[in-house]
Amino acid sequence: KEFLYDIVFYMNYYAVQVQTGNEEKIIDKAKKILQDRLDKQNFLFPKKSLKIRKSGLFKQELKPIFPGYFFIQVENIDTELYNTLKSIHGFYRFLKNNQEITPLTGKDLSILQHFLKFGQNISASQVYFDENDRICVVEGPLKGLEGLIIKVDKRKKRAKIKMDFANDSILIDLGFELIKGLE
């Protein structure tokens, strides 16, 4: 456990833009090619659990928080890692760009770490609505992001948040569950 803590604390996080829908395939290919050095980097693809209605039935599905992106936790992007990812079909670029690969810092890093503290597969937040019908987050990934909520859909049990990430404004739907007795 101490070793894992050290990795988390001393490593940088890099964002990789890839073809949306193929994030996991690209990660799997990269891991296969780089299998002799998997201890040097960690591939992260955070997902959210949402209730999706299909044909009148609700099913829990995992959807990406950041579609078209995954993250690498590594000291730095070396030539082998760069060339491996660049050779995989569906790879677009590192952020900032392929000539200026920079680790996430500031607000971007805080946003990623906020979601990662709930694990790679985050579950719904626990919420209730106050007497003014405002959403109140008790726990979960929406906690601390209340000021970024721009829309609440009580029927679908989702909150849409708007945040700035990687010099772009993004919208993220996150699920919530009502706490019994407080709804």
Side-chain angles (χ1 to χ4, degrees):
K1 284 189 174 182
E2 266 183 55
F3 178 71
L4 288 175
Y5 176 77
D6 289 344
I7 286 177
V8 170
F9 189 75
Y10 293 110
M11 295 288 186
N12 291 311
Y13 292 90
Y14 294 87
V16 182
Q17 186 178 18
V18 296
Q19 187 177 35
T20 302
N22 288 319
E23 300 92 346
E24 289 176 302
K25 289 178 187 172
I26 293 168
I27 290 170
D28 290 342
K29 284 180 185 175
K31 283 181 175 180
K32 196 172 195 174
I33 295 168
L34 299 167
Q35 62 186 336
D36 61 327
R37 53 172 273 169
L38 289 178
D39 60 328
K40 292 184 181 180
Q41 72 272 320
N42 189 17
F43 294 90
L44 306 165
F45 183 50
K47 296 183 220 164
K48 59 193 172 189
S49 179
L50 290 177
K51 281 186 180 179
I52 308 289
R53 185 178 174 177
K54 286 186 181 173
S55 305
L57 300 172
F58 282 98
K59 293 181 182 178
Q60 286 293 130
E61 290 189 17
L62 286 174
K63 299 285 187 182
I65 296 174
F66 303 99
Y69 293 91
F70 67 84
F71 303 90
I72 302 174
Q73 183 184 20
V74 65
E75 191 173 328
N76 59 43
I77 303 294
D78 61 29
T79 306
E80 183 182 11
L81 180 56
Y82 174 83
N83 288 334
T84 297
L85 288 171
K86 196 170 177 202
S87 72
I88 297 173
H89 177 73
F91 167 85
Y92 293 148
R93 67 185 178 115
F94 287 94
L95 296 187
K96 184 170 191 176
N97 58 55
N98 287 343
Q99 290 72 42
E100 217 178 322
I101 302 170
T102 55
L104 296 177
T105 58
K107 213 172 203 177
D108 293 343
L109 180 60
S110 295
I111 289 168
L112 178 63
Q113 288 176 330
H114 171 81
F115 289 114
L116 289 178
K117 73 182 175 188
F118 297 99
Q120 287 228 49
N121 297 328
I122 65 171
S123 57
S125 295
Q126 301 298 308
V127 306
Y128 67 92
F129 289 89
D130 68 12
E131 63 278 354
N132 297 318
D133 210 31
R134 287 184 300 212
I135 192 168
C136 300
V137 182
V138 176
E139 66 178 54
L142 282 170
K143 184 89 173 151
L145 302 177
E146 295 89 346
L148 303 175
I149 296 173
I150 60 168
K151 183 179 178 185
V152 173
D153 186 329
K154 285 185 178 181
R155 186 180 64 80
K156 288 184 178 180
K157 295 185 179 176
R158 292 191 195 172
K160 188 178 293 280
I161 59 172
K162 182 178 182 179
M163 55 178 43
D164 293 328
F165 185 79
N167 294 325
D168 201 4
S169 188
I170 62 171
L171 298 174
I172 299 174
D173 272 348
L174 294 174
F176 64 78
E177 294 293 331
L178 289 172
I179 298 173
K180 298 292 180 212
L182 294 175
E183 68 265 9

